[in-house]
């Protein structure tokens, strides 16, 4: 029975993870929140899953390396420095980092890549996302994940070739740019739609999360898969055999 340690236990995702771990036939080795000892948790676990905050990532990675256990990172709002830390940790342990652990979103990103690669730049790409009123980062990690899938398909740099937060007289959208719109309100777990808009026709690819359990189940599947992998950096598409 795989022992999974939860970093961010008291949060809404932490609670969903507890249920999903038991549902999958694994065991919860323990959990910590702010001020907890990640190394002690890592030593009691076969794999860690982190849904805490970016500021805690370095200590969590250090603990995983010290205990030689793999870690699944679902924390969003990561910056370039955090990805450098993850790359460094992947030299020693198996690390899977993703902006969304949902299996449906993972497949959606695959479809977005396929569509963006087969349709030319005369098809504009816009990504709209909506989350609950308490979410603190925007665009969401999932929206950025979908944007990266589209950008890779077209050989773009998402940081350079995206448009966000349009307001006022912005002028026409740049050719080839990927647009983002973020909505916040209520208790929405996560809605994402990728629009591919051509002349006189439009494709809409949508995923709606009705419960955080979809993320928790995907994260547990990732944990069970990652447990048997050698050191390296992994992604959710690999869990589904898409990469």
């Amino acid at each position: 029975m795989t022992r999974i340690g939860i970093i961010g236990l008291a949060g809404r995702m932490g609670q969903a993870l507890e249920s999903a771990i038991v549902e999958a036939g694994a065991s919860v080795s323990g959990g910590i929140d702010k001020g907890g000892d990640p190394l002690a948790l890592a030593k009691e676990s076969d794999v860690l899953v982190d849904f805490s905050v970016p500021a805690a990532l370095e200590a969590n990675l250090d603990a995983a390396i010290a205990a030689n256990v793999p870690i699944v990172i679902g924390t969003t709002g990561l910056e370039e420095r955090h990805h450098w830390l993850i790359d460094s940790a992947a030299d020693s342990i198996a690390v899977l980092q993703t902006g969304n652990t949902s299996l449906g979103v993972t497949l959606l990103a695959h479809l977005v890549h396929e569509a963006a690669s087969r349709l030319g730049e005369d098809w504009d790409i816009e990504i709209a996302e909506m989350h609950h009123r308490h979410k603190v980062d925007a665009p969401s990690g999932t929206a950025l994940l979908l944007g990266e899938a589209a950008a890779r398909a077209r050989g773009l740099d998402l940081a350079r070739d995206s448009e966000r937060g349009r307001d006022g007289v912005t002028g026409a959208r740049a050719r080839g740019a990927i647009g983002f719109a973020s909505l916040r309100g209520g208790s929405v777990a996560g809605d994402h739609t990728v629009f591919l808009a051509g002349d006189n026709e439009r494709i809409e690819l949508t995923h709606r999360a009705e419960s955080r359990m979809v993320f928790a189940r995907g994260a547990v599947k990732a944990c069970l898969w990652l447990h048997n992998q050698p050191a390296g950096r992994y992604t959710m598409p690999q869990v589904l055999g898409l990469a």
Side-chain angles (χ1 to χ4, degrees):
M1 185 178 288
T2 305
R3 302 170 302 161
I4 301 175
I6 303 172
I7 302 174
L9 180 63
R12 284 167 289 191
M13 268 303 300
Q15 296 168 37
L17 281 165
E18 280 194 286
S19 297
I21 289 168
V22 173
E23 182 184 275
S27 68
V28 179
S29 58
I32 60 169
D33 292 291
K34 185 177 180 180
D37 184 354
L39 180 56
L41 177 64
K43 289 179 177 178
E44 297 298 321
S45 306
D46 296 315
V47 59
L48 296 173
V49 57
D50 183 4
F51 276 90
S52 57
V53 295
L57 181 62
E58 184 169 7
N60 297 336
L61 287 171
D62 287 345
I65 293 169
N68 194 32
V69 298
I71 182 170
V72 171
I73 301 166
T75 303
T76 59
L78 302 183
E79 299 176 353
E80 184 176 351
R81 173 178 174 273
H82 298 117
H83 287 285
W84 180 87
L85 290 169
I86 292 169
D87 287 339
S88 180
D91 290 335
S92 303
I93 58 172
V95 184
L96 188 152
Q97 180 273 323
T98 180
N100 192 302
T101 53
S102 159
L103 302 182
V105 165
T106 301
L107 183 57
L108 175 60
H110 179 74
L111 296 174
V112 168
H113 184 278
E114 284 293 299
S117 66
R118 296 175 188 277
L119 299 173
E121 283 191 359
D122 52 328
W123 286 73
D124 301 318
I125 299 175
E126 295 280 321
I127 301 171
E129 54 100 348
M130 183 170 185
H131 284 81
H132 53 87
R133 63 173 65 94
H134 302 292
K135 188 168 179 61
V136 298
D137 57 306
S140 69
T142 302
L144 293 173
L145 180 153
L146 297 171
E148 287 287 0
R152 283 196 306 274
R154 292 190 170 177
L156 301 175
D157 179 343
L158 188 64
R160 181 194 65 211
D161 301 313
S162 63
E163 296 184 354
R164 311 180 189 186
R166 300 184 182 108
D167 185 33
V169 181
T170 61
R173 80 187 310 280
R175 180 176 175 82
I178 297 173
F180 290 89
S182 298
L183 308 177
R184 297 289 178 266
S187 58
V188 179
D191 290 354
H192 295 84
T193 297
V194 179
F195 299 88
L196 295 106
D199 291 335
N200 305 311
E201 58 182 328
R202 183 171 70 248
I203 297 170
E204 299 178 12
L205 300 172
T206 297
H207 178 272
R208 302 189 191 281
E210 298 177 358
S211 163
R212 286 181 180 79
M213 283 302 293
V214 302
F215 310 123
R217 291 187 181 111
V220 172
K221 186 177 181 69
C223 286
L224 297 176
W225 180 87
L226 193 67
H227 182 204
N228 298 312
Q229 303 305 317
R233 182 164 182 171
Y234 298 94
T235 62
M236 284 299 296
Q238 290 172 287
V239 177
L240 289 185
L242 297 173

